[in-house]
Amino acid sequence: HGYMVYDVLFAAPVLPPGAYCFADLELLSDLERQRAAQRWQELAARGCRLLNHPTHSLLRYELLRELRRRGVNTFDVYRLADGESPKRFPVFLRTANDHKGSISPLLGSPEELDAATAALRARDERVDDKLVVEFCNTADADGLYRKYGAFIVGDRILPRHVFFSRHWVVKDWSVLDETLLREEQAYLATNPHERQLREIFAAARIEYGRIDYSLRDGDLQVWEINTNPIIIGMGPARGGSAAPAGQAAGLRAVLRPAWTRLTARVPALARLRERLAPSAPPAPPPP
């Protein structure tokens, strides 16, 4: 069990037998995906269990375009470099192949989009890897946004979380109380969107990853599928975010010892935990 970086995968004269999951496909160049597909074929010929074909799995742009074509998503996406005018505003900019979310505020008109594009060029930033995404408002009547996350592992759909936020860019819990915690627990217990998610993963040709989505009038709106997602987020809280209260804090307290035991057994997770830990404050100067 372990991981292998793509440079090692490409250079290895012979690959050991086993199950292989091809992750972070969006970070590979076209040539690298072709090389990975060649190794896939070698492994497939030897009967290895394989997940996420390097060239058949849909990347973010292709996935969102396909879901719009199928009528799953109500919003569309465009490549900034193509110069195609969005059909509706507001829109926002994001990078095609990372998971950092929006790199702009909401842009309410073609003029604002042109100004944001000019600002990118003025900073000598690339535009060929940027997407223009139509904003899809999924807030409820109280202005609360939800982002659902669910995994696919082979043929299993595993619900993971519901994040609640007052901001349209939802990266973590920023609002959490007992009522919302019970809502999340119900989601985890019932896996209510399993059928639709299975169809979307099949359309994306992805067998391992986490799908991030919301609901608009009861219909799924898909943001992305991350093929190398964080599995367990029990490390130190990110700076500035308030710790969840009440039952949620108790849940973390119960799970933290299990996370500690797991990282002790898995060196890669231990290294990840060290990277996530906040830096120690500088020592005070000697008196």
Side-chain angles (χ1 to χ4, degrees), residues 120-264:
L120 288 177
R121 297 182 188 278
R123 297 194 298 268
D124 291 327
E125 293 192 33
R126 294 174 56 185
V127 297
D128 62 308
D129 67 342
K130 302 299 187 295
L131 301 180
V132 182
V133 185
E134 294 176 351
F135 175 62
C136 178
N137 189 352
T138 60
D140 66 14
D142 296 323
L144 192 65
Y145 293 89
R146 291 162 173 82
K147 185 175 80 170
Y148 299 83
F151 281 81
I152 187 168
V153 183
D155 59 358
R156 295 190 63 190
I157 306 294
L158 304 170
R160 176 65 181 90
H161 62 240
V162 186
F163 290 159
F164 306 92
S165 177
R166 296 288 178 190
H167 193 275
W168 62 276
V169 179
V170 186
K171 285 296 185 181
D172 207 333
W173 293 291
S174 63
V175 179
L176 189 59
D177 57 28
E178 299 301 321
T179 299
L180 297 178
L181 181 59
R182 285 194 294 270
E183 180 181 327
E184 183 183 45
Q185 289 171 331
Y187 171 72
L188 299 178
T190 62
N191 200 5
H193 311 129
E194 179 179 6
R195 179 185 59 80
Q196 300 101 307
L197 296 179
R198 192 176 300 280
E199 293 172 356
I200 292 168
F201 279 120
R205 306 186 196 106
I206 289 176
E207 299 85 34
Y208 175 78
R210 189 195 69 227
I211 189 169
D212 292 336
Y213 65 100
S214 296
L215 298 177
R216 179 184 172 96
D217 298 327
D219 296 326
L220 271 67
Q221 301 295 307
V222 176
W223 310 131
E224 67 175 348
I225 298 176
N226 185 342
T227 58
N228 189 16
I230 295 174
I231 299 175
I232 301 176
M234 290 302 298
R238 287 183 271 279
S241 58
Q247 192 173 354
L251 180 62
R252 286 184 178 245
V254 169
L255 291 179
R256 194 174 298 281
W259 167 249
T260 301
R261 291 193 298 271
L262 181 62
T263 56

Side-chain angles (χ1 to χ4, degrees), residues 1-155:
H1 301 283
Y3 65 89
M4 178 184 297
V5 298
Y6 280 102
D7 285 346
V8 173
L9 177 81
F10 298 150
V14 178
L15 293 169
Y20 285 78
C21 175
F22 287 70
D24 274 335
L25 300 177
E26 62 274 14
L27 301 184
L28 300 179
S29 67
D30 291 343
L31 177 58
E32 288 170 330
R33 280 193 287 275
Q34 292 293 337
R35 294 178 67 187
Q38 292 173 0
R39 305 250 62 176
W40 169 288
Q41 294 301 329
E42 296 172 23
L43 293 166
R46 293 164 50 194
C48 293
R49 179 72 168 101
L50 303 173
L51 305 176
N52 296 351
H53 191 285
T55 56
H56 295 171
S57 301
L58 298 186
L59 304 183
R60 178 181 291 125
Y61 172 78
E62 290 77 13
L63 172 66
L64 295 182
R65 270 284 162 119
E66 176 64 13
L67 294 181
R68 181 70 184 101
R69 186 189 70 81
R70 290 172 176 246
V72 175
N73 282 352
T74 61
F75 64 94
D76 215 336
V77 60
Y78 313 86
R79 294 190 189 277
L80 180 61
D82 290 346
E84 184 179 359
S85 179
K87 297 180 181 65
R88 70 182 193 193
F89 286 84
V91 299
F92 62 90
L93 297 176
R94 72 166 304 164
T95 303
N97 298 324
D98 68 25
H99 304 285
K100 298 178 181 178
S102 173
I103 60 171
S104 78
L106 292 179
L107 308 169
S109 66
E111 292 75 22
E112 290 184 16
L113 176 58
D114 290 343
T117 305
L120 288 177
R121 297 182 188 278
R123 297 194 298 268
D124 291 327
E125 293 192 33
R126 294 174 56 185
V127 297
D128 62 308
D129 67 342
K130 302 299 187 295
L131 301 180
V132 182
V133 185
E134 294 176 351
F135 175 62
C136 178
N137 189 352
T138 60
D140 66 14
D142 296 323
L144 192 65
Y145 293 89
R146 291 162 173 82
K147 185 175 80 170
Y148 299 83
F151 281 81
I152 187 168
V153 183
D155 59 358

Side-chain angles (χ1 to χ4, degrees), residues 257-279:
W259 167 249
T260 301
R261 291 193 298 271
L262 181 62
T263 56
R265 293 197 302 269
V266 184
L269 287 178
R271 291 192 292 270
L272 175 62
R273 186 179 188 181
E274 290 173 1
R275 291 201 302 271
L276 291 175
S279 303

